[in-house]
Amino acid sequence: MDIFIFAVRLLLTALLYLFLAAILVVLWRDLRAAAKLPAVIQERKAHLVTLSGCDGLVPNTALTLQAFTTLGRGATNTIVVPDTFASSEHALISWHSSQWWLEDLGSRNGTRLNDEVIASPAVLSAGDVISVGQVTFKFQTSDGASQIENPETDSTSEEAD
C-alpha cells in the first residue's frame, strides 16, 4: 500500500511540473509575439486655446491635452471651467483610434463643436471651436502650434487633420 501512495504522489508531482512547464511555454510564446508587434503610435500633441474665458480662464491661454482630458466645473476635471453654465463633468476629449475625439458627458446645456450641439462622440480637427457653457476653446494640434500665439487668425487656411 505504501508503494501505491508513493507512486500516486510521484504521478501528481510530475503532472504539477508538466502543468507549470506548459504555463511557462505559453507565457514565453506570448512575450515573443508581443515583441514582434509594431510600436504603439504615440498620441499627437494637442492644445485647447481659450478664446473667451471667465473668472479663472484667461483668453489666449493654451491648455495642453492629455490622452483623456475632462472639462467641467468640478475640481476633479483635468481642465476646470469655472462657469455656472458648465456641468460638473461636462465633456471629455480623448485620444483613440489615432484621432482626438470630443464627447458630451450628459451635460444639461450640451457641448458645442463649431456652434453645433454634439449628440455623439465627434472627431476633432485643428481649428475646431469647442464651447463648454459660455467658455469657448480652439482646438490645436502640434501641426497648428504656431496658431497658439494668435488664436484669432482665420482657421480656414489650416489643414484638417
Side-chain angles (χ1 to χ4, degrees), residues 38-44 95-99:
V40 176
I41 298 173
Q42 291 186 348
E43 69 183 66
R44 178 184 249 162
W95 172 263
H96 59 88
S97 302
S98 300
Q99 297 180 15

Side-chain angles (χ1 to χ4, degrees), residues 127-149:
D128 282 346
V129 176
I130 300 167
S131 298
V132 174
Q134 295 181 330
V135 179
T136 56
F137 301 97
K138 187 172 188 178
F139 176 76
Q140 294 292 332
T141 61
S142 57
D143 297 336
S146 62
Q147 296 295 320
I148 292 174
E149 289 81 18

